[in-house]
């Protein structure tokens, strides 16, 4: 009975997981690639690109 109780405590505390499995790594990699693709599309869109160019242009032409 005591061994079962300590096993439940270890499991509840998260001591049973040693790390991610291969499938979890694969899903994380796919999610990161999808996020990067969406971010690339947003940053290279016309409106965002022109806004970034305007910000950089203003920063370079600041009077000292």
């Amino acid at each position: 009975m005591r061994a079962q109780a300590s096993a439940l405590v270890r499991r509840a505390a998260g001591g049973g997981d040693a790390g991610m499995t291969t499938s979890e790594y694969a899903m994380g990699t796919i999610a990161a690639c999808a996020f990067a693709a969406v971010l690339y599309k947003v940053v290279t869109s016309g409106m965002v690109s022109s806004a970034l160019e305007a910000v950089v242009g203003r920063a370079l032409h600041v009077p000292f």
Side-chain angles (χ1 to χ4, degrees):
M1 191 70 171
R2 187 173 233 182
Q4 290 174 341
S6 64
L8 282 174
V9 169
R10 271 193 315 250
R11 223 177 290 144
D17 281 339
M20 292 194 307
T21 62
T22 303
S23 62
E24 290 170 331
Y25 277 116
M27 292 303 293
T29 302
I30 291 169
C33 290
F35 181 72
V38 169
L39 186 61
Y40 176 77
K41 282 295 199 180
V42 168
V43 170
T44 58
S45 70
M47 194 162 79
V48 174
S49 181
S50 63
L52 288 174
E53 286 177 15
V55 168
V56 171
R58 275 185 266 155
L60 292 175
H61 293 92
V62 173
F64 288 103

